[in-house]
Amino acid sequence: MEMIVQSPFGEVAALLVLAAVIGFVGILLRQPLIVSFIAVGLIAGPSALDLVHSDEQISLLSELGIAVLLFLVGIKLDVKLIRSLGAVSLLTGLGQVAFTSIFGYLIGLALGLGHVTSLYVAVALTFSSTIIIVKLLSDKREIDSLHGQIALGFLIVQDLVVVLAMIVLSAIGIGAAAEGGHGGGGSVPMVLASGLAMVALVVVFVRYVANPLSERLARAPELLVIFAIAMAAMFAAIGDFAGLGKEVGGLLAGVALASTPYRETIAARLAPLRDFLLLFFFIALGSALDLSLLGAHVTGAIIFSLFVLIGNPLIVLAIMGAMGYRKRTGFLAGLTVAQISEFSLIFVAMGVSLGHVQEEALGLVTMVGLVTIAASTYMITYSHQLYALCEPLLGPFERRGTPREASEAGAHRNEGYKVIVFGLGRFGTAIGMRLQKRGVRVLGVDFNPQAVRRWRELGLETQFGDASDPEFVAELPLPNAEWIVSTVPIHVTGLTHEDTRTTLIQLTRSSGFRGRIAVASHHARDTEELFAAGADIVLEPFQDAADRAVDILCGGREEERTTIPRIEAEERQVS
């Protein structure tokens, strides 16, 4: 071991191998990389393997990782996106932040942490991990659902709170440095002037330079990525020199490119680099922690973890219920804030570097992060099963009539539909338009508000809802329908094996549907299982399309050639 860490290269190589091994174990345990990264830092630190000796090199990579992370936060803070935040996202986000801060502060005082430490810990507990939530919701294909979109909305609100917290913390650090007569940033007025100058630079860059420059650089994607990294590093260095801190500088660099049409490309290409560099942040964090000190905070870590895991979802559920959303939507959205994020650790680490709090506070927040991230991963993954267990207790969190979702769904007569289509993607939309063309009254169902809106624009009747929600399915006009058609896509993610198609078959039959059920399948191996589950017909879009193409090529079905292109043209015009 001593031979490995004699050179910085060998040390980094050993750390990367350790990260790969622990990351693989984390995948087997269905855990996000951030948990594995924190574990790598603790194991590689002086309390375990003691692999970290090149402090300067690892600290440099760590600081660059934080700059890139905040750059990616800034690049998402487009003014148009902020303006599009709905009232539910704004109120839920601010309500959750206020609730967690106030009660977290009181819990900290009750545990004897002191006013400043309690305040730092309370603010740190308000941040939820956007990376983890987006990844889990994407894996479950719920990122476009109503609760997924609301969750993304209040995550943006949290990101704005992160920005304000970082700026306030930098200002506090400036004041402390000025009082102590040291600090590279100079006096408070000078630093504020420098900050205004940086903001003015960003405004000028966005107004006159960002779009034409990024458009020219986009011709060489590799150069665009290098330019983005250079922007993050340059602004971080300027921010550090001006006394605002690297974090605020990196954030402003992202804001400078947030309005460009290539921001998604930049964010996608920088995400792997962010993950790689953040590994060294957690290694630096672990090397600075003494595991023997963590044991003294086990009780506090458990109390704070339970507070985050239970209290945060409850406040989201209460706010959304008061605004008229169904308890199921509020519950599923609330589960997404049942953890803290990497920003929590960065925030407390800044407090340690400024001398406001001791390293014990950082150790406490690290333990809370490990517990809440690990637990909430399973909570989000198995959210529907968890809701089924908790549903009898959630009645007080739902207003009568749920006006918000009722208005989203629209008013519909409960009879007269011959076909109900679940899943309003391209295949479901094509089926719906052709049925309507033949005079068949069809109702479309989807949990993606944009898909629902698109169907209405096409002149089709639709209702917003989740096919796996027993209460919603039971309220549908099933008795008089002749067909149920499911085109809901199924994606195997490795996290959950629930098949929405079989769930829908069971729910519709138990709700009194006596007609026939057609289910779409993209894999031949699923056909027998779907028939066994109760499907009357299994549609195979690719095979059916191939059969139709062969018929057309061989001269068959000539009469449909004029109708189908016209319908598809109407679809393209709306989309």
Side-chain angles (χ1 to χ4, degrees):
M1 190 67 67
E2 293 182 2
M3 293 179 61
I4 294 177
V5 298
Q6 283 180 352
S7 70
F9 186 86
E11 180 180 328
V12 171
L15 292 172
L16 292 177
V17 171
L18 180 63
V21 172
I22 295 179
F24 179 72
V25 175
I27 291 176
L28 295 179
L29 297 175
R30 307 287 192 265
Q31 288 298 315
L33 277 179
I34 185 173
V35 174
S36 300
F37 285 177
I38 295 174
V40 170
L42 294 174
I43 294 173
S47 300
L49 299 180
D50 194 21
L51 292 177
V52 182
H53 297 282
S54 302
D55 297 327
E56 293 184 2
Q57 292 87 342
I58 290 178
S59 177
L60 176 62
L61 293 173
S62 169
E63 292 174 352
L64 183 59
I66 295 174
V68 171
L69 173 65
L70 287 163
F71 171 85
L72 291 178
V73 172
I75 207 171
K76 296 290 186 180
L77 297 181
D78 189 5
V79 175
K80 296 178 181 178
L81 183 63
I82 296 172
R83 288 176 180 173
S84 67
L85 284 178
V88 61
S89 296
L90 185 62
L91 293 179
T92 304
L94 294 178
Q96 180 265 322
V97 168
F99 168 84
T100 306
S101 299
I102 294 172
F103 284 90
Y105 175 74
L106 296 176
I107 292 174
L109 292 180
L111 293 172
L113 295 181
H115 292 281
V116 177
T117 302
S118 297
L119 181 61
Y120 265 90
V121 173
V123 174
L125 297 183
T126 64
F127 307 144
S128 301
S129 179
T130 304
I131 300 172
I132 295 174
I133 294 170
V134 171
K135 177 66 167 60
L136 292 174
L137 291 179
S138 298
D139 285 347
K140 296 185 68 181
R141 297 304 187 268
E142 294 181 359
I143 198 72
D144 291 324
S145 64
L146 179 61
H147 69 268
Q149 292 189 351
I150 292 173
L152 290 179
F154 57 65
L155 284 173
I156 295 174
V157 174
Q158 287 187 356
D159 288 340
L160 294 175
V161 174
V162 169
V163 174
L164 295 176
M166 294 291 186
I167 294 174
V168 170
L169 190 58
S170 297
I172 294 174
I174 294 166
E179 290 179 6
H182 59 276
S187 64
V188 174
M190 184 177 296
V191 173
L192 292 178
S194 300
L196 292 176
M198 287 189 67
V199 172
L201 176 62
V202 169
V203 172
V204 172
F205 184 87
V206 170
R207 180 67 178 83
Y208 299 103
V209 182
N211 283 342
L213 179 61
S214 61
E215 183 176 354
R216 183 172 294 273
L217 290 173
R219 300 173 185 174
E222 296 83 0
L223 184 58
L224 181 63
V225 172
I226 293 174
F227 170 75
I229 298 172
M231 281 277 293
M234 179 182 69
F235 271 72
I238 294 174
D240 187 49
F241 177 77
L244 293 171
K246 301 181 184 69
E247 295 81 6
V248 175
L251 187 75
L252 290 176
V255 172
L257 296 176
S259 61
T260 65
Y262 304 100
R263 64 181 191 137
E264 297 297 338
T265 301
I266 295 172
R269 288 179 174 265
L270 285 186
L273 177 64
R274 172 204 61 200
D275 295 338
F276 174 75
L277 293 175
L278 278 182
L279 168 63
F280 293 96
F281 166 76
F282 291 112
I283 289 174
L285 174 65
S287 65
L289 292 177
D290 186 354
L291 290 179
S292 62
L293 297 177
L294 299 183
H297 298 288
V298 170
T299 301
I302 293 174
I303 294 175
F304 278 120
S305 297
L306 291 175
F307 170 66
V308 172
L309 291 169
I310 300 175
N312 280 354
L314 284 179
I315 188 60
V316 170
L317 182 61
I319 294 174
M320 291 184 62
M323 295 186 67
Y325 286 88
R326 299 174 63 199
K327 57 187 177 183
R328 187 174 188 273
T329 303
F331 182 86
L332 296 179
L335 290 182
T336 62
V337 294
Q339 88 285 114
I340 65 173
S341 76
E342 61 278 4
F343 285 115
S344 305
L345 304 180
I346 294 172
F347 181 78
V348 179
M350 286 182 66
V352 173
S353 65
L354 292 172
H356 295 165
V357 295
Q358 302 298 317
E359 288 189 359
E360 288 80 358
L362 183 57
L364 171 62
V365 175
T366 301
M367 290 184 66
V368 174
L370 283 170
V371 174
T372 57
I373 293 172
S376 67
T377 298
Y378 294 110
M379 291 167 65
I380 297 174
T381 300
Y382 300 103
S383 57
H384 298 285
Q385 295 90 329
L386 190 59
Y387 172 77
L389 293 175
C390 300
E391 191 272 337
L393 305 175
L394 302 180
F397 296 98
E398 183 175 279
R399 286 171 56 185
R400 184 181 301 275
T402 58
R404 283 279 178 170
E405 294 193 43
S407 62
E408 184 72 33
H412 298 278
R413 297 190 302 273
N414 289 331
E415 57 184 17
Y417 297 109
K418 297 299 182 182
V419 180
I420 300 178
V421 178
F422 289 84
L424 308 185
R426 296 180 63 183
F427 187 41
T429 300
I431 291 175
M433 293 196 68
R434 283 157 177 78
L435 288 171
Q436 185 188 53
K437 196 75 176 179
R438 299 192 181 190
V440 177
R441 193 171 179 217
V442 58
L443 173 67
V445 178
D446 204 300
F447 74 164
N448 183 346
Q450 293 181 352
V452 171
R453 192 178 306 115
R454 185 167 58 248
W455 256 53
R456 291 175 185 161
E457 292 171 352
L458 288 169
L460 297 169
E461 297 181 76
T462 183
Q463 189 159 340
F464 174 86
D466 190 344
S468 62
D469 183 356
E471 295 180 2
F472 169 75
V473 173
E475 295 172 357
L476 289 174
L478 298 174
N480 296 321
E482 298 178 1
W483 280 96
I484 292 289
V485 180
S486 172
T487 65
V488 178
I490 301 299
H491 304 271
V492 179
T493 65
L495 291 174
T496 176
H497 303 286
E498 180 182 2
D499 192 330
T500 306
R501 299 170 299 185
T502 58
T503 301
L504 178 61
I505 293 172
Q506 296 167 3
L507 292 178
T508 53
R509 292 301 187 194
S510 63
S511 299
F513 178 67
R514 297 294 177 262
R516 306 183 72 189
I517 298 176
V519 182
S521 173
H522 297 285
H523 302 284
R525 62 177 179 270
D526 295 339
T527 302
E528 293 301 323
E529 295 180 2
L530 292 172
F531 278 128
D536 296 289
I537 294 178
V538 176
L539 305 173
E540 296 182 342
F542 295 117
Q543 299 297 330
D544 297 341
D547 291 338
R548 180 179 178 281
V550 170
D551 289 339
I552 293 175
L553 293 173
C554 294
R557 300 188 182 181
E558 293 287 341
E559 71 280 0
E560 295 187 12
R561 284 183 168 179
T562 58
T563 302
I564 293 172
R566 183 170 64 251
I567 294 176
E568 292 175 346
E570 293 173 358
E571 294 175 8
R572 286 194 297 270
Q573 183 177 3
V574 172
S575 60

